[in-house]
Amino acid sequence: MATKTGSPREPDTGAPAAPDAGGDLGAAGSQLSTAPKEDISFPSLGPLGWARWFWRQLTSMRVALLLLFLLSIGAIPGSLIPQISIDPVKVEQFKTEHDTLGAIYDKLGMFHVYSSVWFSAIYLLLFISLIGCIIPRTWQFVGQLSGRPPAAPRRLTRLPAYTTWRTDAEPEAVLGAAQRMLKKRRFRAHRTGTAVAAEKGYLREVGNLVFHIALIVMLVAFAVGSLWKSEGGKLITEGDGFANSLVQYDDFKSGPFFDTDTMEPFGFTLKKFEATYERTGPQKGTPRIFRADISYFSGADGKEHRTAIEVNTPLDIAGSKVYLLSHGYSPVVSVKDGRGKVVYHGAVPFLPQDPKNFTSTGVVKVPGAQTKDGKRNQLGFNGLFVPTFGGKNSGSMFSQFPALDFPVLAVNAWHGDLGVDSGLSQNVYQLDTKRMKQYKDAKGNIFKKMLMPKDRLAKQSKQHAGIKGGLTKKDVEADSTMQLPGGQGSITFEGVKSWASFKITHQSGNGLALTGAVCALLGLAGSLFIQRRRVWIRAERGADGVTVVEMAGLGRSESPRLPEELGDLAVALGPDAPLAPDAGPESGTEPTAEAPDQDPTEPTDSADPADPSEGARA
């Protein structure tokens, strides 16, 4: 059996069926729904209309909150994913370990979140949205301050808080006393006919505006901090110093508007680095004291001062902060060439490979060395340093503790061309051996030796002088010096110094950001805890000649304190508008707050329905 599909047709004539409410199903389809057919045409907005619509949406409070939420969400990757501005080494390591994910993150700007296009777009849109919110609200608030509280509604009984009573006092006297009483309680009050209109709580809107302005101030402060900031690192060995000059930094980065020619003159010298560690228990090796004792000066002719920098106590100097980051050890070595001349002497920083026990590596480069006959023969040494030697008789070398209990330096030597004259930059912590040869012994093995500090060995030799088996001067020289094959030189391990790594930051806008944060908290507290409310007091003479006093209040938001405050106002007005002697229970012997659905004791002056919030919108 074949089935054909096509347009519906009339059963009698076979002509195509006329279109109707059923659509493609014709008359049968029209029976499936009784919904009326809607034919709505929207007017064309045009470019100006669409621009106005977009601006209204952007400056609405819900969009501002959405952008603020997106900004907070967008900042999360900056905390979880390594950032180039903070640690480029970790970024490269992440890319190496995660090929696919690293490529995706790189395209999305996840390695530089705070300078990415999408984060900057959210930031700028939030900035514009907040400004668009504040400007009209500010003008509206200024208009409200320059205006007067609105007149009393026709039916005060419809308001959330209401009370009434009868008095023998004259209406004018009651209204005058009410106006004075409200002004004394810091209400803005004025007479409107037979009623006094008053308003209070403008600080609520002030707090709201202050909160939004403070957010803008914080955004501006963050922008200023990014554009005019500078940050650099410096590794300093004990006895060495630093001056705030671009050439003094090991690494340096700054914002696009930071002027390196106007850097503040200051500097400091690392006198001593002190570190102590827990020696027993489960926290063995944990630092207990971690302090850099320095002397510093500020200004070209500044006086020298002494202080200490610890991990959580940076040095604040000339608008910059100096943070203590890490520390390590710098073996002090002396190198002689084939002529027996000292061609290098100094402390060489070694970088820890084991952050817990400070097993460290480093290199010594000696470009000025020569052979016995005066030929150029640059020397290079690869070193492994451990502050507390472990692995004795095991063929390995590692540190057992981070303190200098048993320091040992293992070195091997190279000779040839270091490549320092090529004009290309080199890593001071790595040895380029492409154009160098390694020294080997007579058996063809790598020539290497473990050295002990000469100063410690000399001290031990003095302490054990005359004792059988004690160290002699010859032993000290042998244990602290490695002689190169063929008389081409030597390297001596003289002693050990500590080094400390510092970060020097100049962050503009910190004070502005702090001010904005404090103002934001104060503004938020004001907008949450201050209630804006309006009060009306009406006094009219009734048909029996007795004055009827009506008092009602309206708050911007529902608050249980409004009826209580209205009761206090009624009590305060009581001496000037006492209850009439013939006032019974129904007329209200005590001024209380009535429910909004209760009718007053006196009929209203209008039978027309009234908007309960007419003239009283908060």
Side-chain angles (χ1 to χ4, degrees):
M1 183 174 83
T3 303
K4 296 177 67 176
T5 60
S7 301
R9 295 180 177 273
E10 297 291 346
D12 297 332
T13 63
D20 54 20
D24 292 341
L25 297 179
S30 65
Q31 303 299 321
L32 296 178
S33 175
T34 58
K37 183 179 180 181
E38 296 183 0
D39 186 11
I40 302 176
S41 60
F42 293 95
S44 177
L45 293 178
L48 185 60
W50 279 111
R52 185 182 294 110
W53 177 86
F54 178 78
W55 174 254
R56 288 180 177 176
Q57 297 301 315
L58 180 61
T59 56
S60 64
M61 186 58 64
R62 61 178 179 274
V63 172
L65 292 175
L66 178 61
L67 290 172
L68 189 61
F69 177 73
L70 289 177
L71 192 70
S72 60
I73 294 296
I76 294 177
S79 302
L80 301 179
I81 301 174
Q83 300 294 294
I84 294 177
S85 59
I86 298 176
D87 196 340
V89 176
K90 285 188 177 181
V91 173
E92 294 300 326
Q93 183 180 359
F94 185 91
K95 291 181 179 180
T96 303
E97 296 176 354
H98 308 85
D99 294 334
T100 305
L101 191 60
I104 295 174
Y105 282 176
D106 199 10
K107 290 182 179 179
L108 295 176
M110 292 297 181
F111 297 120
H112 50 92
V113 169
Y114 304 111
S115 60
S116 62
V117 175
W118 56 269
F119 191 86
S120 301
I122 298 174
Y123 188 92
L124 292 175
L125 286 175
L126 177 60
F127 191 83
I128 296 172
S129 178
L130 288 174
I131 293 178
C133 287
I134 289 174
I135 292 176
R137 293 172 70 100
T138 302
W139 285 117
Q140 183 181 4
F141 182 62
V142 170
Q144 292 176 357
L145 289 178
S146 60
R148 290 183 171 185
R154 289 194 300 270
R155 296 186 179 183
L156 294 179
T157 180
R158 299 298 180 93
L159 297 181
Y162 174 83
T163 186
T164 182
W165 70 95
R166 293 155 58 88
T167 180
D168 289 335
E170 294 294 327
E172 288 296 324
V174 173
L175 294 177
Q179 187 173 1
R180 291 191 299 271
M181 181 266 297
L182 290 171
K183 287 184 176 181
K184 187 177 180 180
R185 294 179 177 239
R186 297 189 300 277
F187 279 84
R188 293 177 63 226
H190 72 103
R191 289 275 299 271
T192 57
T194 59
V196 175
E199 190 168 5
K200 190 178 182 181
Y202 286 94
L203 286 179
R204 177 189 179 94
E205 189 63 23
V206 172
N208 199 354
L209 292 174
V210 167
F211 173 73
H212 287 82
I213 293 174
L215 288 181
I216 294 180
V217 171
M218 293 172 64
L219 292 176
V220 171
F222 295 151
V224 169
S226 298
L227 295 175
W228 278 275
K229 73 174 182 179
S230 68
E231 181 178 292
K234 182 64 177 179
L235 187 149
I236 304 176
T237 301
E238 288 176 328
D240 294 339
F242 164 81
N244 189 34
S245 175
L246 188 61
V247 296
Q248 287 277 301
Y249 286 91
D250 295 333
D251 58 87
F252 183 85
K253 56 181 179 291
S254 63
F257 294 159
F258 182 81
D259 187 3
T260 56
D261 295 331
T262 60
M263 300 174 71
E264 293 291 334
F266 68 86
F268 59 92
T269 301
L270 178 61
K271 296 295 185 180
K272 181 182 178 182
F273 185 86
E274 185 177 358
T276 60
Y277 306 90
E278 187 70 34
R279 291 189 171 273
T280 58
Q283 294 186 340
K284 182 180 179 181
T286 302
R288 292 307 179 198
I289 298 177
F290 201 75
R291 181 177 66 240
D293 296 323
I294 68 166
S295 62
Y296 70 94
F297 68 91
S298 178
D301 300 320
K303 183 180 178 181
E304 190 173 70
H305 303 275
R306 297 292 295 268
T307 188
I309 303 177
E310 300 185 33
V311 174
N312 295 321
T313 56
L315 172 65
D316 195 343
I317 177 172
S320 299
K321 288 186 180 293
V322 181
Y323 296 89
L324 175 62
L325 296 184
S326 59
H327 95 103
Y329 296 105
S330 297
V332 181
V333 297
S334 294
V335 179
K336 295 181 180 180
D337 62 4
R339 302 168 297 171
K341 181 179 178 181
V342 177
V343 289
Y344 183 88
H345 176 80
V348 184
F350 276 42
L351 298 183
Q353 305 301 307
D354 172 16
K356 182 178 180 180
N357 294 319
F358 288 92
T359 299
S360 308
T361 60
V363 299
V364 181
K365 299 180 182 181
V366 189
Q370 297 181 11
T371 60
K372 292 180 180 180
D373 52 5
K375 293 182 179 179
R376 185 178 182 183
N377 184 38
Q378 296 181 347
L379 299 176
F381 300 89
N382 273 322
L384 178 66
F385 173 79
V386 292
T388 302
F389 177 70
K392 185 177 181 180
N393 300 325
S394 66
S396 61
M397 181 175 174
F398 58 89
S399 177
Q400 293 178 320
F401 196 72
L404 290 172
D405 293 345
F406 187 7
V408 173
L409 175 65
V411 293
N412 59 70
W414 301 71
H415 66 102
D417 185 4
L418 290 169
V420 294
D421 301 326
S422 63
L424 301 176
S425 60
Q426 286 191 354
N427 191 332
V428 296
Y429 303 107
Q430 293 181 355
L431 188 64
D432 185 2
T433 60
K434 294 180 181 178
R435 294 174 294 274
M436 304 188 75
K437 293 182 180 180
Q438 192 169 21
Y439 282 106
K440 295 184 179 180
D441 58 19
K443 298 181 179 180
N445 298 322
I446 295 175
F447 190 77
K448 57 184 179 180
K449 187 176 180 180
M450 292 184 181
L451 307 177
M452 298 181 66
K454 184 178 180 180
D455 57 353
R456 291 186 175 233
L457 292 174
K459 185 177 181 180
Q460 292 178 16
S461 66
K462 291 181 180 180
Q463 292 175 348
H464 296 84
I467 299 178
K468 185 177 181 180
L471 294 174
T472 65
K473 184 176 181 181
K474 185 176 181 181
D475 294 331
V476 172
E477 292 292 339
D479 289 340
S480 62
T481 302
M482 182 178 77
Q483 299 289 341
L484 298 180
Q488 295 191 29
S490 65
I491 180 171
T492 301
F493 184 17
E494 301 284 354
V496 184
K497 292 184 176 181
S498 293
W499 61 257
S501 176
F502 299 90
K503 182 174 73 171
I504 300 95
T505 65
H506 176 79
Q507 191 79 27
S508 301
N510 284 342
L512 192 62
L514 178 60
T515 302
V518 172
C519 291
L521 291 176
L522 293 177
L524 184 61
S527 63
L528 291 177
F529 297 110
I530 297 177
Q531 184 187 20
R532 188 173 174 185
R533 63 271 194 200
R534 289 170 178 165
V535 173
W536 294 272
I537 301 176
R538 177 178 288 154
E540 295 179 342
R541 193 175 298 280
D544 55 356
V546 180
T547 302
V548 178
V549 181
E550 289 182 291
M551 183 179 294
L554 177 66
R556 178 166 181 168
S557 57
E558 293 184 5
S559 173
R561 293 181 298 175
L562 182 60
E564 181 181 350
E565 184 177 25
L566 193 70
D568 292 340
L569 293 175
V571 172
L573 189 60
D576 296 293
L579 289 172
D582 58 344
E586 293 184 359
S587 62
T589 56
E590 294 184 1
T592 57
E594 298 183 0
D597 56 348
Q598 291 179 332
D599 292 333
T601 56
E602 292 291 332
T604 58
D605 56 357
S606 174
D608 298 331
D611 183 359
S613 60
E614 178 184 352
R617 296 186 181 276

